[in-house]
Amino acid sequence: MSHHTTCTPAEHALHRRTFLGGLLASGAAASLALPGVSLAGELPAADALKQQNKRALFIWLAGGASQFEMWDPKPGRDTGGPFRTVQTTIPGYHVCELMPKLAARMNKLAVVRSLNTKISEHFQAAELISTGWPKEPALEHPEIGVILAKELALQESLLPDYVSLFTTTEGRRRPETGFLSRRHGALLLEDSLQPKNIDLPAGLTSEQHAARESLRSALSSQFAEQRAGSDLVQGYNAAYSRVRGLMQSDRLFNLDQEPADARDRYGKTPFGQHCLLARRLLEAGVPMVKVARGFWDSHHDNFESHRELVPDFDNVLSVLLDDLDERGLLDSTLVFVLSEFGRTPKINQDVGRDHYADAWSFAAAGCGIRGGAVYGKTDEDGVKVVEGEANAGDVAATIFKAVGIDPNKHYQVGQRPVPLAKEDSQPIEAILS
Amino acid sequence: MTAFDPKQATLQHTAETPLLFASCYDATTGKYYGAGIDAAIYSLNTRADKPVAQKRWKHHDNYISGLGWQSGTVISSGYDRRVVWTQAESGEQLRELTAHDGWIRDLVLLPGDQQFATVADDMLVKLWDAETGEWIKSFDGHEHKSPEGFATAIYAIAASPDSKLLASGDRIGQVCIWDVDSGKLLTRLQAPEFYTYDRRTRDRSIGGIRSLIFLPDGRLAIGGLGPVSNVDGFVGPSRFELWDWQAGKMLLRCQDKHHAILDHLQFLPEQNLMIGGGGGDAGPFLGLWDITAQPADGVVAPIHKAKPKSHIHHLVFDPAGPRLLAVGHGGFQLWDFSGKDPAQEEKKE
């Protein structure tokens, strides 16, 4: 009989509802995920929230990072593992010794140690935590990042509303637009950190390209005048506009534009370079960026894995928070760190930890977050939440509220008003400023 | 030693403890010592009928990774960076020292029991006087970072039968051969297939050289896990390689498709038999290889595979049995070569 403590390859393949190509590949930007949804081609409204230039960075630790080796260590317990702890700047709060730099910056971070999201299978758990909703047969909910992009995007921006970076093959999770228009989908940077096909075709000058665009714009305006309210035309215009913006901002994606010391500071690891690019994008005005760092699924050799992964995470997130702060961006940029779930208290026979959703942690910093807040508690072995239990809906509601979005705001999907965060969810006020 | 048939290797008895990583054996009394995750030392009287593990003492405060038996004294090393000498009979701590700046991963007594060597996450090999605890010398030659810039580790240490050489193996698939007297690095072997990393398809390294043993003829066996095919963990063939270390040449590859890492190797010269224990995605594993085999494809398959109760982390061969004594997840495992199923034998009784 096969033993197989690891996940099957299919569990790490792309979800069946793979994203259909992001903004550029979507082409018909006004297409719908569900018939009857009244949000087709809806343009971002230039409301007060958007004018505050708030941004968000979603750091996705794909596979399930261990709360024991990060935010909720249990030294000296059978479940604790071999790592020791380090005192943070918050009296009485210790984190794993693998995170000394974040420990010194804990006044910038808030940690929730009491997530109980119940689902410990990769796909379902990822869908739950990244949307805040359990799976529904008749409705596909958008990822939190998609909603943030839609709500925070400026109408006149020529930059993408959402950029998702993940250049490895496993554990990838593309942002799902769900019932929202695909125009809110992310620009996917998966093969390289440079968007594809944004150079002018050979033989076409910038002037020729501008002239073509003027003609296209004039024709589409005439068309729209004759068919008032055409979502389709609006969608096409928006897509063309964003492509033009991308073509003009290729330098933004080029990390060679960064000084060498900035690149060194973030480190030469892919995660470091991705977060540096994320900072460039956020600073330039992209309202939503997602950086995914995979390979946290440590069924075997958990401590060796986290010994490799966590110091990189510690360094990169610390540098990123400092960098955003130094540039005056941290107060307006929400940074949140999530996984599908945490890892088991029990250390298995291969010195690994398996999937565990009953008691795990997430962290956030920046916009709307009360730095230094440590919320919730698990028991002495990290098996159960004993204080401040929170679920995936609560996480989503907290994220929305942190950037000033009302979690109870509704989208109208056909006949059904759908709130941004699940009806029974509550923002975790203790970590909000 | 009584002749035995390796294909009759059978698990006869288990004794439960927390996960054990290291073991040593007192052949005089038949007491087998194990230690691991709870920092305590356990013993098992292997000459008793259905022995039960006894928790004996706890002088460390983190995982114990290495044990050595030196005429009545157990020398232990751990992730607390310490080496501790304990009088086995009484459990009295005789001596301790902070030996490294980092987790100690392995310990080996050199033949003759006068010296022992340790390896640790400070990426040093250190040689010690087993009687006095005096530091003798350090050997510094392993890379301190992986090629990708991450932390690495020296997982395994072995001594040659004449005590003149040490071999140390690390996470990134390098083995250093050291001259004990001069302290010089004689050569560095590259065994890259024990280390899997790919920036796109596997952006987290795994593997490393987990077991080393010098054969009496001077060849060196290097054990661990072949190339990993899955993102999660030990999902690659269990493998060891025989090397002519002086020529820097791999002579023979011995492996099985069973996905498991070989955490320990034991060689029986009279039988030309290599025994490897470990575990992984396909479950716990015990393989026995005839290293005189000359397969056409150059890859030697085990002559016998057995399924242990759980992942084996360390093992000792007791020629008096002949028996195999093993430790790992779940505690102690006692194997013999009778081929008799203990459950059936119990029914007969």
Side-chain angles (χ1 to χ4, degrees):
Chain A
M1 186 180 71
S2 179
H3 173 74
H4 296 308
T5 54
T6 53
C7 313
T8 64
E11 289 177 89
H12 291 275
L14 290 175
H15 193 277
R16 65 179 175 82
R17 293 188 292 117
T18 49
F19 188 77
L20 296 178
L23 175 67
L24 291 177
S26 64
S31 63
L32 297 174
L34 281 178
V37 177
S38 62
L39 294 165
E42 182 195 8
L43 292 172
D47 61 17
L49 172 63
K50 294 167 189 292
Q51 295 305 330
Q52 293 172 20
N53 284 323
K54 290 184 176 175
R55 311 160 181 84
L57 172 61
F58 182 175
I59 296 176
W60 175 245
L61 305 183
S66 172
Q67 68 281 12
F68 293 98
E69 279 68 59
M70 296 177 82
W71 310 108
D72 194 15
K74 302 292 180 185
R77 304 296 301 177
D78 288 349
T79 57
F83 294 109
R84 297 308 183 224
T85 63
V86 58
Q87 171 71 52
T88 70
T89 52
I90 308 306
Y93 180 48
H94 294 70
V95 293
C96 178
E97 65 177 322
L98 295 172
M99 302 200 302
K101 294 179 179 177
L102 288 172
R105 290 162 178 80
M106 200 53 67
N107 57 324
K108 294 179 181 176
L109 281 154
V111 177
V112 174
R113 299 181 296 184
S114 50
L115 293 185
N116 180 0
T117 50
K118 302 186 189 311
I119 295 174
S120 58
E121 183 278 323
H122 283 292
F123 288 143
Q124 293 177 48
E127 186 158 321
L128 174 67
I129 198 67
S130 59
T131 65
W133 289 81
K135 189 167 179 58
E136 294 185 50
L139 192 65
E140 293 182 354
H141 289 273
E143 189 220 48
I144 293 168
V146 172
I147 293 175
L148 290 170
K150 170 177 156 47
E151 295 293 323
L152 298 176
L154 291 168
Q155 184 177 340
E156 66 272 19
S157 174
L158 294 180
L159 294 169
D161 297 342
Y162 191 173
V163 178
S164 171
L165 297 84
F166 193 21
T167 58
T168 52
T169 55
E170 294 283 355
R172 178 182 294 164
R173 179 151 186 94
R174 291 169 171 164
E176 305 275 0
T177 53
F179 57 71
L180 291 177
S181 163
R182 290 197 186 99
R183 77 167 304 281
H184 301 297
L187 168 66
L188 305 173
L189 300 183
E190 296 183 337
D191 295 324
S192 81
L193 297 185
Q194 292 279 347
K196 288 180 179 174
N197 305 320
I198 60 171
D199 295 331
L200 285 177
L204 186 69
T205 67
S206 298
E207 292 72 23
Q208 289 169 327
H209 182 252
R212 288 184 184 187
E213 170 53 20
S214 293
L215 177 61
R216 189 207 62 77
S217 180
L219 291 172
S220 70
S221 295
Q222 286 177 17
F223 184 81
E225 282 171 12
Q226 294 157 15
R227 296 163 180 80
S230 168
D231 289 343
L232 191 62
V233 174
Q234 288 182 353
Y236 272 121
N237 281 342
Y240 274 108
S241 174
R242 297 303 168 92
V243 171
R244 281 201 313 280
L246 267 182
M247 292 173 72
Q248 290 165 15
S249 53
D250 58 338
R251 286 168 61 88
L252 187 57
F253 294 88
N254 184 355
L255 290 181
D256 291 339
Q257 302 295 320
E258 280 290 317
D261 59 346
R263 298 194 66 172
D264 291 344
R265 191 179 174 201
Y266 277 86
K268 295 293 171 59
T269 62
F271 182 57
Q273 298 298 291
H274 293 185
C275 282
L276 175 57
L277 178 56
R279 193 271 292 153
R280 286 175 65 83
L281 295 170
L282 293 163
E283 186 176 38
V286 174
M288 181 68 216
V289 180
K290 181 178 183 180
V291 173
R293 202 307 180 206
F295 304 96
W296 292 85
D297 201 10
S298 53
H299 293 283
H300 305 156
D301 237 9
N302 173 76
F303 306 114
E304 300 306 297
S305 297
H306 282 75
R307 189 169 164 266
E308 179 169 311
L309 292 166
V310 181
D312 186 34
F313 172 81
D314 178 55
N315 177 63
V316 173
L317 184 56
S318 297
V319 169
L320 178 73
L321 295 178
D322 289 353
D323 199 3
L324 289 171
D325 211 4
E326 290 158 11
R327 291 166 191 271
L329 295 170
L330 188 57
D331 287 345
S332 58
T333 305
L334 171 66
V335 180
F336 58 100
V337 182
L338 285 170
S339 284
E340 295 99 308
F341 33 61
R343 311 301 307 182
T344 49
K346 183 181 177 186
I347 297 162
N348 69 28
Q349 66 171 319
D350 300 312
V351 203
R353 294 191 192 269
D354 301 312
H355 306 168
Y356 198 65
D358 292 2
W360 59 291
S361 307
F362 95 100
C367 180
I369 296 297
R370 181 180 297 164
V374 181
Y375 179 77
K377 197 174 173 184
T378 53
D379 65 14
E380 59 187 358
D381 287 322
V383 174
K384 290 179 180 174
V385 173
V386 294
E387 194 177 299
E389 183 167 305
N391 59 36
D394 301 331
V395 172
T398 306
I399 288 168
F400 293 139
K401 189 165 183 186
V403 293
I405 300 169
D406 179 2
N408 299 313
K409 176 179 174 176
H410 285 71
Y411 291 146
Q412 192 66 33
V413 184
Q415 299 300 310
R416 177 180 168 184
V418 180
L420 269 57
K422 195 165 178 291
E423 295 89 338
D424 57 358
S425 61
Q426 293 291 329
I428 304 167
E429 298 289 350
I431 71 162
L432 294 172
S433 58
Chain B
M1 183 175 65
T2 310
F4 66 92
D5 179 359
K7 295 178 181 175
Q8 299 299 318
T10 309
L11 178 61
Q12 293 294 340
H13 182 70
T14 61
E16 194 171 340
T17 73
L19 172 56
L20 304 177
F21 295 126
S23 69
C24 64
Y25 183 54
D26 173 11
T28 307
T29 64
K31 283 193 178 166
Y32 185 42
Y33 296 85
I37 201 164
D38 70 346
I41 306 266
Y42 293 81
S43 70
L44 189 75
N45 181 359
T46 63
R47 292 177 187 163
D49 184 33
K50 297 178 182 171
V52 174
Q54 290 188 312
K55 187 173 182 177
R56 297 292 309 282
W57 64 84
K58 186 173 179 177
H59 298 323
H60 288 270
D61 64 7
N62 207 332
Y63 291 9
I64 294 176
S65 54
L67 290 181
W69 176 259
Q70 190 222 24
S71 56
T73 300
V74 171
I75 304 174
S76 55
S77 62
Y79 284 15
D80 60 2
R81 309 172 183 209
R82 293 159 64 234
V83 174
V84 177
W85 285 252
T86 305
Q87 209 282 326
E89 191 61 32
S90 66
E92 178 190 358
Q93 180 176 317
L94 304 174
R95 184 184 299 110
E96 67 165 302
L97 57 88
T98 299
H100 285 271
D101 184 16
W103 291 351
I104 302 176
R105 301 291 193 145
D106 199 7
L107 174 154
V108 66
L109 270 164
L110 278 62
D113 294 351
Q114 297 305 304
Q115 297 174 328
F116 69 90
T118 50
V119 289
D121 287 358
D122 55 10
M123 302 310 292
L124 294 174
V125 179
K126 291 189 178 181
L127 185 68
W128 307 88
D129 185 304
E131 289 285 349
T132 65
E134 182 186 356
W135 170 80
I136 298 171
K137 65 183 62 155
S138 297
F139 306 82
D140 185 0
H142 284 272
E143 301 291 338
H144 286 231
K145 293 283 183 186
S146 73
E148 297 76 35
F150 297 117
T152 176
I154 309 174
Y155 288 127
I157 179 80
S160 62
D162 60 5
S163 295
K164 290 183 176 177
L165 302 170
L166 289 172
S168 51
D170 67 24
R171 181 170 177 83
I172 61 175
Q174 294 190 356
V175 177
C176 291
I177 309 291
W178 308 94
D179 180 83
V180 171
D181 287 339
S182 69
K184 285 184 179 172
L185 175 62
L186 298 178
T187 190
R188 188 194 309 270
L189 308 176
Q190 307 286 344
E193 292 201 353
F194 288 103
Y195 175 73
T196 301
Y197 177 87
D198 183 275
R199 192 162 179 146
R200 182 156 175 78
T201 60
R202 200 178 200 296
D203 186 14
R204 184 193 89 204
S205 68
I206 195 154
I209 291 164
R210 304 297 180 108
S211 42
L212 287 167
I213 189 165
F214 280 100
L215 275 57
D217 62 8
R219 287 179 293 172
L220 180 72
I222 302 172
L225 177 74
V228 173
S229 60
N230 181 286
V231 298
D232 296 348
F234 301 146
V235 192
S238 50
R239 171 184 292 186
F240 72 89
E241 297 172 351
L242 278 182
W243 283 66
D244 176 345
W245 65 267
Q246 288 168 307
K249 185 181 175 188
M250 186 184 66
L251 304 170
L252 199 63
R253 173 171 290 159
C254 304
Q255 72 174 35
D256 190 71
K257 61 186 178 182
H258 186 100
H259 286 166
I261 195 163
L262 291 183
D263 281 315
H264 196 71
L265 294 171
Q266 181 78 44
F267 183 62
L268 311 186
E270 290 179 23
Q271 290 80 14
N272 278 310
L273 188 71
M274 187 70 79
I275 305 173
D281 192 50
F285 183 68
L286 185 73
L288 299 94
W289 283 266
D290 174 2
I291 63 164
T292 62
Q294 294 180 318
D297 63 357
V299 179
V300 179
I303 57 171
H304 182 61
K305 294 188 285 184
K307 185 167 184 177
K309 181 191 178 195
S310 56
H311 190 134
I312 289 176
H313 288 278
H314 202 263
L315 56 88
V316 171
F317 180 73
D318 174 15
R323 294 184 301 177
L324 269 181
L325 316 175
V327 296
H329 186 265
F332 294 96
Q333 301 180 31
L334 301 184
W335 295 70
D336 70 12
F337 297 91
S338 67
K340 293 176 180 172
D341 179 348
Q344 295 298 326
E345 293 299 309
E346 198 162 303
K347 279 181 187 173
K348 286 181 191 173
E349 290 170 10

